[in-house]
Amino acid sequence: MFKFTRKGVLLVAPEGAGNYGAAPVLNASNYKGIVLYDPNISPQGDTIRRDPLRDTFTHIAPQRGKKWVDVSFGTELKGTGDFGNPGISTVLTDLIEACGLRTASRDWGDGTSCTSAWWCEIDSAGNAHQVAPYQALWVVEDPAGTPVNVKAVVVGIIRRKANDADTSTNDCVLVLTETALDPAKAHDIRLDSGGAPAATALLTVTGVSAGSAFMPVSDYAQVKGSSVTIAGFDDGILYLVSGCLGNLSIKLQDGEVPRCDFTMSGLWTDPADQAPPTGVSFLNHLPPKVCKEDLILAESSGTALSNVYKPNFSRFSLDMGNQVQRDNNLNAPDCAGEMFINGRAPTIGVDPLAEELSIFNPWSAWDAGSPRVMALGVGHTTAGNRVAITVPQAVYEGVSLTDRDGRRAYDMKITPTGDADDEFVIAFG
């Protein structure tokens, strides 16, 4: 029977630390499915050209060398869709971790590890730019009752206000805390004052909800321990690809669903005729709307942001720029022992409309090479299905002029930089 390109299913299962390349049993308890766009499964193999000299120009038969499989596909960028469990792991989590990201962790400054992710919606009178990314502060729980002081680190900012005087909507501050918060209690955010919370609140929190946050990692063992097996069903033909690691890119375009595209490489398994397992759960709830994304570009002035600018833009992209390599191991089947990531070079693209230079001057920032803070929120009004991206040190690497519907715009290439695996944070909640 002929096969149809419109009939495709892609399932993913984490292999777990110590099980690199070991495909989990193909059933509904191990594998989860995604909403799939533009899949491309490409079995790959080196060709050994056998061309010895002899008394004719005719070539002799070539031979197959190393084998592996490349898989590329897109899916929707979104949270869990579950207001009660916005921080649980999904198939998207598994894929993100297989691209060299880990659950976000940040030292408070005294050896305390902050790993619990929370979305703190602040009172309409407060402004998110009063704090800066990676700033250590306190979240005080039940401030009017029996206060509990919780150490926290800022990892994201969603600037929803049009300006400081705007009280029609609330900003949001994303934090990592040392312990879990109680969403049923009141909270406020306070600065640090000699190792203790300041006497008065900096920001009043109107509600907290749990989430999850991810940062890049350079540790070989952590990345290898996050490998996944991909089961790609092409209308009844199974391409099972174990040991997959790869690269992700996020794309937002006006009029489109938010996209997360993956390019993965894994180990070879011979294709086989097989129907997909039944009962697999799919991440098929509606994605957040690509509208009112709340992108800001700002300067960091100590523990606050200044010159906060919200551009008119039609597209945004973040590419991790992972460098994925094959281990050429003669002791391994097909001479491909494993896939590994040996570097990354993340880039961001955005197209803000040009305004008076007194309002927004990308040329001076580009010339100075000074880092700016970039923050982006998608789907803020839908708890459980929100996404935020924060780049604490974004450098304008390239600026050129372009046209957007007859208006002058900037085509900006931005490089996320940092100190130690902290170029950017992706948060869900």
Side-chain angles (χ1 to χ4, degrees):
M1 182 181 294
F2 296 115
K3 303 299 179 182
F4 292 91
T5 57
R6 284 286 300 172
K7 298 176 68 174
V9 175
L10 192 142
L11 311 179
V12 178
E15 295 173 348
N19 295 311
Y20 178 84
V25 175
L26 188 53
N27 58 36
S29 64
N30 292 326
Y31 288 77
K32 291 172 281 189
I34 65 170
V35 175
L36 187 62
Y37 295 93
D38 306 320
N40 185 22
I41 301 173
S42 302
Q44 303 286 339
D46 287 343
T47 300
I48 302 172
R49 297 294 180 187
R50 301 170 60 234
D51 191 19
L53 296 180
R54 53 187 186 148
D55 59 350
T56 175
F57 293 151
T58 304
H59 286 207
I60 60 176
Q63 190 172 16
R64 189 268 306 161
K66 294 188 291 290
K67 293 192 296 184
W68 70 96
V69 183
D70 292 332
V71 185
S72 63
F73 55 92
T75 190
E76 295 167 348
L77 179 67
K78 55 190 176 184
T80 65
D82 186 342
F83 174 79
N85 293 288
I88 62 175
S89 176
T90 68
V91 63
L92 192 57
T93 304
D94 298 333
L95 288 165
I96 286 172
E97 292 182 342
C99 292
L101 288 106
R102 59 179 169 86
T103 299
S105 176
R106 196 74 181 176
D107 192 302
W108 192 77
D110 64 352
T112 300
S113 182
C114 295
T115 59
S116 186
W118 296 90
W119 293 61
C120 299
E121 188 153 341
I122 60 178
D123 184 86
S124 59
N127 298 300
H129 72 242
Q130 290 178 260
V131 293
Y134 299 145
Q135 178 184 353
L137 42 74
W138 295 87
V139 174
V140 179
E141 191 168 83
D142 193 19
T146 304
V148 176
N149 302 325
V150 181
K151 295 175 181 177
V153 178
V154 178
V155 291
I157 294 169
I158 300 178
R159 170 68 162 171
R160 303 192 69 232
K161 293 176 177 293
N163 52 62
D164 286 359
D166 179 10
T167 59
S168 65
T169 189
N170 296 9
D171 287 349
C172 193
V173 175
L174 281 62
V175 298
L176 300 180
T177 60
E178 60 171 329
T179 58
L181 302 176
D182 184 349
K185 294 183 178 180
H187 299 80
D188 63 36
I189 293 174
R190 304 191 189 189
L191 298 178
D192 181 52
S193 179
T200 58
L202 176 70
L203 297 170
T204 301
V205 177
T206 60
V208 301
S209 58
S212 57
F214 301 89
M215 299 171 67
V217 62
S218 299
D219 182 85
Y220 168 81
Q222 285 194 56
V223 175
K224 183 178 178 180
S226 299
S227 62
V228 297
T229 292
I230 293 176
F233 291 89
D234 192 12
D235 194 11
I237 298 178
L238 168 62
Y239 296 89
L240 190 69
V241 191
S242 64
C244 287
L245 298 173
N247 182 63
L248 73 83
S249 60
I250 292 172
K251 297 177 182 177
L252 305 178
Q253 180 72 49
D254 63 305
E256 302 289 340
V257 297
R259 282 275 294 254
C260 194
D261 292 342
F262 294 90
T263 304
M264 315 293 288
S265 293
L267 306 179
W268 177 278
T269 300
D270 288 339
D273 290 320
Q274 184 171 332
T278 59
V280 174
S281 61
F282 281 79
L283 198 69
N284 58 4
H285 59 273
L286 290 174
K289 292 182 179 179
V290 184
C291 185
K292 194 70 172 68
E293 285 87 5
D294 298 309
L295 173 69
I296 64 167
L297 302 167
E299 297 181 52
S300 182
S301 303
T303 58
L305 302 184
S306 62
N307 297 324
V308 179
Y309 177 65
K310 297 188 73 169
N312 178 324
F313 72 109
S314 69
R315 60 172 174 81
F316 172 91
S317 63
L318 166 63
D319 191 323
M320 277 196 70
N322 283 337
Q323 300 166 16
V324 183
Q325 299 292 330
R326 298 187 304 277
D327 176 28
N328 298 316
N329 183 356
L330 288 175
N331 271 330
D334 300 307
C335 296
E338 65 180 30
M339 303 296 163
F340 61 96
I341 297 172
N342 68 358
R344 65 176 176 270
T347 57
I348 288 173
V350 68
D351 66 340
L353 284 181
E355 297 191 68
E356 290 83 354
L357 296 180
S358 59
I359 298 175
F360 178 58
N361 189 343
W363 304 107
S364 60
W366 166 72
D367 185 53
S370 53
R372 297 292 196 270
V373 174
M374 170 178 276
L376 173 74
V378 181
H380 180 269
T381 58
T382 311
N385 202 24
R386 301 176 293 187
V387 184
I389 300 170
T390 300
V391 183
Q393 298 187 58
V395 176
Y396 299 175
E397 182 177 331
V399 183
S400 59
L401 299 177
T402 187
D403 175 274
R404 174 145 63 93
D405 302 322
R407 292 184 292 181
R408 179 59 65 207
Y410 299 118
D411 186 4
M412 296 180 61
K413 179 182 179 182
I414 296 173
T415 300
T417 63
D419 298 315
D421 292 328
D422 57 2
E423 300 101 303
F424 58 87
V425 180
I426 302 174
F428 299 86

